[in-house]
Amino acid sequence: DTEVTQTPKHLVMGMTNKKSLKCEQHMGHRAMYWYKQKAKKPPELMFVYSYEKLSINESVPSRFSPECPNSSLLNLHLHALQPEDSALYLCASSQRQSSGNTIYFGEGSWLTVV
Amino acid sequence: AQKVTQAQTEISVVEKEDVTLDCVYETRDTTYYLFWYKQPPSGELVFLIRRNSFDEQNEISGRYSWNFQKSTSSFNFTITASQVVDSAVYFCALSDPNYTGANSKLTFGKGITLSVRP
């Protein structure tokens, strides 16, 4: 079983709604990630938090707003999304090791914007 | 710039057949890491293996084996005696060494859809 848990598993929202995706990891990792994945495509990096600070923003539109309340939690706040934002949103975490970093992913949140 | 090529897009085999998934990468860095992930229809990306660029030993884990060859910049994945549960999309990925510390950045290939028929 994955040690990165995401809620909700499925979300349907209107273009004027405000919703949030939540992610939690219990591996003591200090980096957490949000990826977006469209059908039949590889995951695309959106944001990275390292030691609870935003370290990478891949030029993501402001209608996506990440938040890292503590080292175990990561949220993605959604507002005024477009239908093309419908996708699988994957949360992940990693920790630096002498042998290299491995990114572990959650089960994802399937988002549909109507 | 880094690049990962998975030339095969879809593979279909009958159960118990062996199947090899190809991965070719490009990087100018001398230190890097290669990964394979499995993504079943449920959506979760499952980590399978990480290989350090300095370690060219092949690895076997049950029915899975990996062949890393720096000379050809390839990191191929073989499933022996495939099973229906192996049906999934498989991604090869390459780490970006410019990102150090706790965080990391991966360059993914486009993925290979494997279908194993009973």
Side-chain angles (χ1 to χ4, degrees):
Chain A
D1 288 341
T2 181
E3 295 186 69
V4 179
T5 57
Q6 292 187 239
T7 56
K9 180 71 173 175
H10 297 274
L11 177 64
V12 179
M13 62 183 291
M15 290 187 285
T16 59
N17 291 160
K18 285 185 181 181
K19 297 286 185 182
S20 297
L21 304 180
K22 297 184 182 299
C23 175
E24 187 171 11
Q25 57 92 7
H26 297 287
M27 295 180 281
H29 291 174
R30 301 313 300 269
M32 296 187 74
Y33 309 73
W34 280 114
Y35 280 80
K36 173 183 177 180
Q37 187 178 21
K38 302 284 282 185
K40 298 189 181 296
K41 298 287 187 182
E44 296 177 353
L45 183 64
M46 299 175 71
F47 303 103
V48 182
Y49 274 83
S50 181
Y51 294 89
E52 300 160 50
K53 295 187 187 307
L54 184 64
S55 62
I56 300 175
N57 178 341
E58 293 286 278
S59 302
V60 178
S62 60
R63 57 185 184 270
F64 296 92
S65 175
E67 178 196 18
C68 189
N70 60 52
S71 60
S72 300
L73 296 174
L74 185 65
N75 299 322
L76 185 63
H77 302 298
L78 314 170
H79 174 53
L81 295 192
Q82 303 297 311
E84 58 264 30
D85 296 322
S86 299
L88 176 66
Y89 288 83
L90 291 159
C91 176
S93 69
S94 72
Q95 178 72 356
R96 180 170 177 78
Q97 300 170 314
S98 58
S99 56
N101 298 1
T102 295
I103 298 180
Y104 294 93
F105 290 83
E107 294 183 345
S109 292
W110 296 88
L111 174 66
T112 303
V113 182
V114 298
Chain B
Q2 299 192 113
K3 185 177 179 182
V4 176
T5 301
Q6 296 181 263
Q8 304 152 309
T9 53
E10 295 185 10
I11 300 175
S12 181
V13 299
V14 177
E15 208 169 18
K16 298 184 182 178
E17 282 186 28
D18 298 347
V19 58
T20 295
L21 310 181
D22 298 332
C23 175
V24 174
Y25 62 93
E26 296 176 27
T27 180
R28 294 180 179 179
D29 302 297
T30 56
T31 301
Y32 52 89
Y33 299 92
L34 292 160
F35 303 81
W36 277 95
Y37 287 89
K38 173 184 179 180
Q39 188 172 40
S42 60
E44 180 187 1
L45 267 174
V46 179
F47 165 72
L48 296 178
I49 190 172
R50 180 186 72 228
R51 174 60 72 220
N52 182 320
S53 56
F54 291 103
D55 181 4
E56 288 195 68
Q57 283 191 349
N58 292 330
E59 182 156 341
I60 299 174
S61 176
R63 296 184 297 106
Y64 295 171
S65 62
W66 290 269
N67 184 344
F68 176 36
Q69 293 195 339
K70 288 182 73 172
S71 60
T72 56
S73 297
S74 64
F75 186 41
N76 296 337
F77 173 28
T78 297
I79 302 174
T80 303
S82 60
Q83 300 177 1
V84 173
V85 293
D86 296 326
S87 297
V89 180
Y90 290 86
F91 290 98
C92 181
L94 173 66
S95 65
D96 187 332
N98 292 317
Y99 293 88
T100 59
N103 61 310
S104 184
K105 188 173 182 181
L106 296 176
T107 298
F108 284 92
K110 292 186 176 181
I112 302 170
T113 299
L114 174 64
S115 298
V116 181
R117 309 187 306 275

